[in-house]
PDB file of all heavy atoms in Angstrom:
ATOM      1  N   PHE A   3     -49.478 -19.968  69.602  1.00  0.00           N
ATOM      2  CA  PHE A   3     -50.646 -20.516  70.278  1.00  0.00           C
ATOM      3  C   PHE A   3     -51.417 -19.366  70.921  1.00  0.00           C
ATOM      4  O   PHE A   3     -51.019 -18.845  71.954  1.00  0.00           O
ATOM      5  CB  PHE A   3     -50.178 -21.512  71.353  1.00  0.00           C
ATOM      6  CG  PHE A   3     -51.249 -22.279  72.050  1.00  0.00           C
ATOM      7  CD1 PHE A   3     -52.205 -22.968  71.341  1.00  0.00           C
ATOM      8  CD2 PHE A   3     -51.266 -22.360  73.440  1.00  0.00           C
ATOM      9  CE1 PHE A   3     -53.180 -23.717  72.019  1.00  0.00           C
ATOM     10  CE2 PHE A   3     -52.214 -23.094  74.106  1.00  0.00           C
ATOM     11  CZ  PHE A   3     -53.172 -23.788  73.395  1.00  0.00           C
ATOM     12  N   GLY A   4     -52.506 -18.928  70.296  1.00  0.00           N
ATOM     13  CA  GLY A   4     -53.254 -17.774  70.751  1.00  0.00           C
ATOM     14  C   GLY A   4     -54.360 -18.137  71.720  1.00  0.00           C
ATOM     15  O   GLY A   4     -55.545 -18.166  71.364  1.00  0.00           O
ATOM     16  N   LEU A   5     -53.978 -18.378  72.967  1.00  0.00           N
ATOM     17  CA  LEU A   5     -54.955 -18.778  73.980  1.00  0.00           C
ATOM     18  C   LEU A   5     -55.192 -17.681  75.026  1.00  0.00           C
ATOM     19  O   LEU A   5     -56.316 -17.255  75.222  1.00  0.00           O
ATOM     20  CB  LEU A   5     -54.461 -20.061  74.675  1.00  0.00           C
ATOM     21  CG  LEU A   5     -55.447 -20.680  75.688  1.00  0.00           C
ATOM     22  CD1 LEU A   5     -56.672 -21.197  74.976  1.00  0.00           C
ATOM     23  CD2 LEU A   5     -54.766 -21.809  76.468  1.00  0.00           C
ATOM     24  N   SER A   6     -54.144 -17.223  75.689  1.00  0.00           N
ATOM     25  CA  SER A   6     -54.328 -16.321  76.831  1.00  0.00           C
ATOM     26  C   SER A   6     -54.675 -14.911  76.373  1.00  0.00           C
ATOM     27  O   SER A   6     -54.349 -14.482  75.279  1.00  0.00           O
ATOM     28  CB  SER A   6     -53.086 -16.301  77.712  1.00  0.00           C
ATOM     29  OG  SER A   6     -51.971 -15.792  77.016  1.00  0.00           O
ATOM     30  N   GLU A   7     -55.320 -14.175  77.288  1.00  0.00           N
ATOM     31  CA  GLU A   7     -55.755 -12.816  77.017  1.00  0.00           C
ATOM     32  C   GLU A   7     -55.336 -11.895  78.166  1.00  0.00           C
ATOM     33  O   GLU A   7     -55.117 -12.337  79.290  1.00  0.00           O
ATOM     34  CB  GLU A   7     -57.270 -12.778  76.811  1.00  0.00           C
ATOM     35  CG  GLU A   7     -57.715 -13.588  75.606  1.00  0.00           C
ATOM     36  CD  GLU A   7     -59.216 -13.608  75.386  1.00  0.00           C
ATOM     37  OE1 GLU A   7     -59.925 -12.830  76.060  1.00  0.00           O
ATOM     38  OE2 GLU A   7     -59.676 -14.396  74.526  1.00  0.00           O
ATOM     39  N   LYS A   8     -55.255 -10.596  77.855  1.00  0.00           N
ATOM     40  CA  LYS A   8     -54.735  -9.630  78.822  1.00  0.00           C
ATOM     41  C   LYS A   8     -55.551  -9.595  80.095  1.00  0.00           C
ATOM     42  O   LYS A   8     -55.046  -9.552  81.204  1.00  0.00           O
ATOM     43  CB  LYS A   8     -54.644  -8.255  78.181  1.00  0.00           C
ATOM     44  CG  LYS A   8     -53.933  -7.220  79.028  1.00  0.00           C
ATOM     45  CD  LYS A   8     -53.696  -5.937  78.259  1.00  0.00           C
ATOM     46  CE  LYS A   8     -52.881  -4.940  79.066  1.00  0.00           C
ATOM     47  NZ  LYS A   8     -52.620  -3.706  78.278  1.00  0.00           N
ATOM     48  N   GLU A   9     -56.881  -9.573  79.940  1.00  0.00           N
ATOM     49  CA  GLU A   9     -57.761  -9.441  81.106  1.00  0.00           C
ATOM     50  C   GLU A   9     -58.039 -10.759  81.789  1.00  0.00           C
ATOM     51  O   GLU A   9     -58.327 -10.796  82.985  1.00  0.00           O
ATOM     52  CB  GLU A   9     -59.085  -8.776  80.673  1.00  0.00           C
ATOM     53  CG  GLU A   9     -58.918  -7.407  80.051  1.00  0.00           C
ATOM     54  CD  GLU A   9     -58.222  -6.438  81.017  1.00  0.00           C
ATOM     55  OE1 GLU A   9     -58.448  -6.526  82.228  1.00  0.00           O
ATOM     56  OE2 GLU A   9     -57.434  -5.589  80.512  1.00  0.00           O
ATOM     57  N   HIS A  10     -57.980 -11.842  81.036  1.00  0.00           N
ATOM     58  CA  HIS A  10     -58.398 -13.150  81.584  1.00  0.00           C
ATOM     59  C   HIS A  10     -57.263 -14.114  81.789  1.00  0.00           C
ATOM     60  O   HIS A  10     -57.476 -15.184  82.371  1.00  0.00           O
ATOM     61  CB  HIS A  10     -59.448 -13.785  80.659  1.00  0.00           C
ATOM     62  CG  HIS A  10     -60.600 -12.893  80.337  1.00  0.00           C
ATOM     63  ND1 HIS A  10     -61.462 -12.424  81.293  1.00  0.00           N
ATOM     64  CD2 HIS A  10     -61.022 -12.379  79.153  1.00  0.00           C
ATOM     65  CE1 HIS A  10     -62.378 -11.655  80.709  1.00  0.00           C
ATOM     66  NE2 HIS A  10     -62.130 -11.614  79.421  1.00  0.00           N
ATOM     67  N   GLY A  11     -56.063 -13.769  81.325  1.00  0.00           N
ATOM     68  CA  GLY A  11     -54.956 -14.711  81.446  1.00  0.00           C
ATOM     69  C   GLY A  11     -55.274 -15.994  80.705  1.00  0.00           C
ATOM     70  O   GLY A  11     -55.741 -15.983  79.568  1.00  0.00           O
ATOM     71  N   ALA A  12     -55.052 -17.109  81.373  1.00  0.00           N
ATOM     72  CA  ALA A  12     -55.340 -18.420  80.778  1.00  0.00           C
ATOM     73  C   ALA A  12     -56.716 -18.922  81.137  1.00  0.00           C
ATOM     74  O   ALA A  12     -57.025 -20.099  80.966  1.00  0.00           O
ATOM     75  CB  ALA A  12     -54.277 -19.431  81.195  1.00  0.00           C
ATOM     76  N   ASP A  13     -57.577 -18.048  81.641  1.00  0.00           N
ATOM     77  CA  ASP A  13     -58.966 -18.413  81.940  1.00  0.00           C
ATOM     78  C   ASP A  13     -59.757 -18.514  80.651  1.00  0.00           C
ATOM     79  O   ASP A  13     -60.388 -17.551  80.189  1.00  0.00           O
ATOM     80  CB  ASP A  13     -59.602 -17.376  82.885  1.00  0.00           C
ATOM     81  CG  ASP A  13     -61.071 -17.669  83.190  1.00  0.00           C
ATOM     82  OD1 ASP A  13     -61.543 -18.766  82.794  1.00  0.00           O
ATOM     83  OD2 ASP A  13     -61.733 -16.815  83.791  1.00  0.00           O
ATOM     84  N   ILE A  14     -59.698 -19.654  80.010  1.00  0.00           N
ATOM     85  CA  ILE A  14     -60.280 -19.793  78.686  1.00  0.00           C
ATOM     86  C   ILE A  14     -61.798 -19.864  78.714  1.00  0.00           C
ATOM     87  O   ILE A  14     -62.420 -19.794  77.656  1.00  0.00           O
ATOM     88  CB  ILE A  14     -59.673 -21.007  77.944  1.00  0.00           C
ATOM     89  CG1 ILE A  14     -59.915 -22.304  78.717  1.00  0.00           C
ATOM     90  CG2 ILE A  14     -58.194 -20.803  77.689  1.00  0.00           C
ATOM     91  CD1 ILE A  14     -59.369 -23.536  78.003  1.00  0.00           C
ATOM     92  N   TYR A  15     -62.395 -19.966  79.900  1.00  0.00           N
ATOM     93  CA  TYR A  15     -63.840 -19.848  79.988  1.00  0.00           C
ATOM     94  C   TYR A  15     -64.323 -18.468  79.530  1.00  0.00           C
ATOM     95  O   TYR A  15     -65.430 -18.309  79.040  1.00  0.00           O
ATOM     96  CB  TYR A  15     -64.322 -20.059  81.426  1.00  0.00           C
ATOM     97  CG  TYR A  15     -64.164 -21.464  81.968  1.00  0.00           C
ATOM     98  CD1 TYR A  15     -63.064 -21.799  82.737  1.00  0.00           C
ATOM     99  CD2 TYR A  15     -65.112 -22.441  81.711  1.00  0.00           C
ATOM    100  CE1 TYR A  15     -62.909 -23.099  83.270  1.00  0.00           C
ATOM    101  CE2 TYR A  15     -64.987 -23.731  82.221  1.00  0.00           C
ATOM    102  CZ  TYR A  15     -63.877 -24.048  82.978  1.00  0.00           C
ATOM    103  OH  TYR A  15     -63.739 -25.321  83.492  1.00  0.00           O
ATOM    104  N   ALA A  16     -63.482 -17.463  79.716  1.00  0.00           N
ATOM    105  CA  ALA A  16     -63.911 -16.064  79.584  1.00  0.00           C
ATOM    106  C   ALA A  16     -63.313 -15.383  78.387  1.00  0.00           C
ATOM    107  O   ALA A  16     -63.081 -14.187  78.407  1.00  0.00           O
ATOM    108  CB  ALA A  16     -63.558 -15.305  80.870  1.00  0.00           C
ATOM    109  N   THR A  17     -63.076 -16.085  77.310  1.00  0.00           N
ATOM    110  CA  THR A  17     -62.441 -15.483  76.155  1.00  0.00           C
ATOM    111  C   THR A  17     -63.289 -14.354  75.534  1.00  0.00           C
ATOM    112  O   THR A  17     -64.518 -14.459  75.445  1.00  0.00           O
ATOM    113  CB  THR A  17     -62.141 -16.535  75.072  1.00  0.00           C
ATOM    114  OG1 THR A  17     -61.552 -15.899  73.948  1.00  0.00           O
ATOM    115  CG2 THR A  17     -63.411 -17.285  74.633  1.00  0.00           C
ATOM    116  N   ASP A  18     -62.612 -13.303  75.130  1.00  0.00           N
ATOM    117  CA  ASP A  18     -63.262 -12.171  74.463  1.00  0.00           C
ATOM    118  C   ASP A  18     -62.935 -12.123  72.977  1.00  0.00           C
ATOM    119  O   ASP A  18     -63.220 -11.121  72.294  1.00  0.00           O
ATOM    120  CB  ASP A  18     -62.826 -10.848  75.114  1.00  0.00           C
ATOM    121  CG  ASP A  18     -63.426 -10.654  76.496  1.00  0.00           C
ATOM    122  OD1 ASP A  18     -64.531 -11.167  76.724  1.00  0.00           O
ATOM    123  OD2 ASP A  18     -62.754 -10.002  77.339  1.00  0.00           O
ATOM    124  N   MET A  19     -62.333 -13.180  72.453  1.00  0.00           N
ATOM    125  CA  MET A  19     -62.065 -13.272  71.016  1.00  0.00           C
ATOM    126  C   MET A  19     -63.353 -13.776  70.353  1.00  0.00           C
ATOM    127  O   MET A  19     -63.796 -14.904  70.616  1.00  0.00           O
ATOM    128  CB  MET A  19     -60.906 -14.192  70.741  1.00  0.00           C
ATOM    129  CG  MET A  19     -60.613 -14.437  69.268  1.00  0.00           C
ATOM    130  SD  MET A  19     -60.050 -12.941  68.388  1.00  0.00           S
ATOM    131  CE  MET A  19     -58.386 -12.740  69.054  1.00  0.00           C
ATOM    132  N   ILE A  20     -63.947 -12.946  69.492  1.00  0.00           N
ATOM    133  CA  ILE A  20     -65.270 -13.217  68.944  1.00  0.00           C
ATOM    134  C   ILE A  20     -65.173 -13.473  67.437  1.00  0.00           C
ATOM    135  O   ILE A  20     -64.547 -12.733  66.672  1.00  0.00           O
ATOM    136  CB  ILE A  20     -66.250 -12.043  69.197  1.00  0.00           C
ATOM    137  CG1 ILE A  20     -66.319 -11.744  70.704  1.00  0.00           C
ATOM    138  CG2 ILE A  20     -67.617 -12.368  68.619  1.00  0.00           C
ATOM    139  CD1 ILE A  20     -66.808 -12.900  71.558  1.00  0.00           C
ATOM    140  N   LEU A  21     -65.810 -14.565  67.034  1.00  0.00           N
ATOM    141  CA  LEU A  21     -65.900 -14.915  65.621  1.00  0.00           C
ATOM    142  C   LEU A  21     -67.358 -14.676  65.169  1.00  0.00           C
ATOM    143  O   LEU A  21     -68.280 -15.368  65.638  1.00  0.00           O
ATOM    144  CB  LEU A  21     -65.515 -16.391  65.435  1.00  0.00           C
ATOM    145  CG  LEU A  21     -64.870 -16.795  64.105  1.00  0.00           C
ATOM    146  CD1 LEU A  21     -63.579 -16.026  63.874  1.00  0.00           C
ATOM    147  CD2 LEU A  21     -64.589 -18.288  64.084  1.00  0.00           C
ATOM    148  N   SER A  22     -67.532 -13.734  64.266  1.00  0.00           N
ATOM    149  CA  SER A  22     -68.866 -13.334  63.821  1.00  0.00           C
ATOM    150  C   SER A  22     -69.163 -13.905  62.453  1.00  0.00           C
ATOM    151  O   SER A  22     -68.395 -13.670  61.497  1.00  0.00           O
ATOM    152  CB  SER A  22     -69.006 -11.817  63.785  1.00  0.00           C
ATOM    153  OG  SER A  22     -68.699 -11.248  65.038  1.00  0.00           O
ATOM    154  N   PRO A  23     -70.273 -14.667  62.265  1.00  0.00           N
ATOM    155  CA  PRO A  23     -70.599 -15.219  60.930  1.00  0.00           C
ATOM    156  C   PRO A  23     -71.018 -14.126  59.946  1.00  0.00           C
ATOM    157  O   PRO A  23     -71.642 -13.144  60.331  1.00  0.00           O
ATOM    158  CB  PRO A  23     -71.741 -16.175  61.239  1.00  0.00           C
ATOM    159  CG  PRO A  23     -72.341 -15.713  62.521  1.00  0.00           C
ATOM    160  CD  PRO A  23     -71.229 -15.067  63.297  1.00  0.00           C
ATOM    161  N   GLN A  24     -70.646 -14.330  58.698  1.00  0.00           N
ATOM    162  CA  GLN A  24     -71.017 -13.417  57.613  1.00  0.00           C
ATOM    163  C   GLN A  24     -72.008 -14.086  56.668  1.00  0.00           C
ATOM    164  O   GLN A  24     -72.174 -15.322  56.683  1.00  0.00           O
ATOM    165  CB  GLN A  24     -69.750 -12.994  56.857  1.00  0.00           C
ATOM    166  CG  GLN A  24     -68.636 -12.409  57.730  1.00  0.00           C
ATOM    167  CD  GLN A  24     -69.044 -11.132  58.425  1.00  0.00           C
ATOM    168  OE1 GLN A  24     -69.372 -10.143  57.754  1.00  0.00           O
ATOM    169  NE2 GLN A  24     -69.030 -11.148  59.757  1.00  0.00           N
ATOM    170  N   GLU A  25     -72.635 -13.291  55.838  1.00  0.00           N
ATOM    171  CA  GLU A  25     -73.657 -13.811  54.942  1.00  0.00           C
ATOM    172  C   GLU A  25     -73.117 -14.842  53.946  1.00  0.00           C
ATOM    173  O   GLU A  25     -73.829 -15.746  53.540  1.00  0.00           O
ATOM    174  CB  GLU A  25     -74.330 -12.671  54.178  1.00  0.00           C
ATOM    175  CG  GLU A  25     -75.192 -11.776  55.058  1.00  0.00           C
ATOM    176  CD  GLU A  25     -75.901 -10.703  54.241  1.00  0.00           C
ATOM    177  OE1 GLU A  25     -75.717 -10.686  52.999  1.00  0.00           O
ATOM    178  OE2 GLU A  25     -76.642  -9.915  54.843  1.00  0.00           O
ATOM    179  N   ASP A  26     -71.862 -14.701  53.559  1.00  0.00           N
ATOM    180  CA  ASP A  26     -71.278 -15.627  52.591  1.00  0.00           C
ATOM    181  C   ASP A  26     -70.755 -16.921  53.188  1.00  0.00           C
ATOM    182  O   ASP A  26     -70.122 -17.733  52.493  1.00  0.00           O
ATOM    183  CB  ASP A  26     -70.179 -14.928  51.787  1.00  0.00           C
ATOM    184  CG  ASP A  26     -69.005 -14.517  52.675  1.00  0.00           C
ATOM    185  OD1 ASP A  26     -69.053 -14.724  53.906  1.00  0.00           O
ATOM    186  OD2 ASP A  26     -67.996 -13.978  52.142  1.00  0.00           O
ATOM    187  N   GLY A  27     -70.971 -17.098  54.493  1.00  0.00           N
ATOM    188  CA  GLY A  27     -70.520 -18.315  55.157  1.00  0.00           C
ATOM    189  C   GLY A  27     -69.161 -18.213  55.812  1.00  0.00           C
ATOM    190  O   GLY A  27     -68.742 -19.134  56.514  1.00  0.00           O
ATOM    191  N   SER A  28     -68.498 -17.095  55.618  1.00  0.00           N
ATOM    192  CA  SER A  28     -67.216 -16.866  56.273  1.00  0.00           C
ATOM    193  C   SER A  28     -67.445 -16.196  57.617  1.00  0.00           C
ATOM    194  O   SER A  28     -68.589 -16.032  58.076  1.00  0.00           O
ATOM    195  CB  SER A  28     -66.301 -16.000  55.389  1.00  0.00           C
ATOM    196  OG  SER A  28     -66.854 -14.701  55.283  1.00  0.00           O
ATOM    197  N   PHE A  29     -66.366 -15.791  58.269  1.00  0.00           N
ATOM    198  CA  PHE A  29     -66.441 -15.165  59.593  1.00  0.00           C
ATOM    199  C   PHE A  29     -65.520 -13.957  59.646  1.00  0.00           C
ATOM    200  O   PHE A  29     -64.608 -13.819  58.813  1.00  0.00           O
ATOM    201  CB  PHE A  29     -66.017 -16.151  60.689  1.00  0.00           C
ATOM    202  CG  PHE A  29     -66.850 -17.415  60.735  1.00  0.00           C
ATOM    203  CD1 PHE A  29     -66.507 -18.497  59.935  1.00  0.00           C
ATOM    204  CD2 PHE A  29     -67.934 -17.517  61.569  1.00  0.00           C
ATOM    205  CE1 PHE A  29     -67.254 -19.668  59.982  1.00  0.00           C
ATOM    206  CE2 PHE A  29     -68.679 -18.678  61.634  1.00  0.00           C
ATOM    207  CZ  PHE A  29     -68.353 -19.749  60.820  1.00  0.00           C
ATOM    208  N   ARG A  30     -65.776 -13.087  60.619  1.00  0.00           N
ATOM    209  CA  ARG A  30     -64.848 -12.000  60.937  1.00  0.00           C
ATOM    210  C   ARG A  30     -64.430 -12.152  62.393  1.00  0.00           C
ATOM    211  O   ARG A  30     -65.304 -12.300  63.268  1.00  0.00           O
ATOM    212  CB  ARG A  30     -65.509 -10.643  60.707  1.00  0.00           C
ATOM    213  CG  ARG A  30     -65.810 -10.346  59.250  1.00  0.00           C
ATOM    214  CD  ARG A  30     -64.594  -9.925  58.487  1.00  0.00           C
ATOM    215  NE  ARG A  30     -64.836  -9.821  57.049  1.00  0.00           N
ATOM    216  CZ  ARG A  30     -63.988  -9.314  56.170  1.00  0.00           C
ATOM    217  NH1 ARG A  30     -62.823  -8.845  56.599  1.00  0.00           N
ATOM    218  NH2 ARG A  30     -64.260  -9.270  54.893  1.00  0.00           N
ATOM    219  N   ALA A  31     -63.123 -12.123  62.649  1.00  0.00           N
ATOM    220  CA  ALA A  31     -62.614 -12.288  64.004  1.00  0.00           C
ATOM    221  C   ALA A  31     -62.210 -10.917  64.563  1.00  0.00           C
ATOM    222  O   ALA A  31     -61.542 -10.152  63.888  1.00  0.00           O
ATOM    223  CB  ALA A  31     -61.422 -13.214  64.009  1.00  0.00           C
TER     224      ALA A  31
END
């Protein structure tokens, strides 16, 4: 379960995990 982060703990409002859309409709995380 990949929820918590080193800087934010379980503060899920402040997630730094970014999903970037690609031209082919996929994403890069």
Side-chain angles (χ1 to χ4, degrees):
F3 186 52
L5 185 66
S6 64
E7 298 179 8
K8 188 172 185 178
E9 300 302 325
H10 308 297
D13 177 8
I14 58 179
Y15 290 98
T17 179
D18 288 331
M19 176 65 72
I20 303 300
L21 210 60
S22 304
Q24 306 297 300
E25 290 183 1
D26 63 358
S28 67
F29 302 86
R30 293 282 172 171

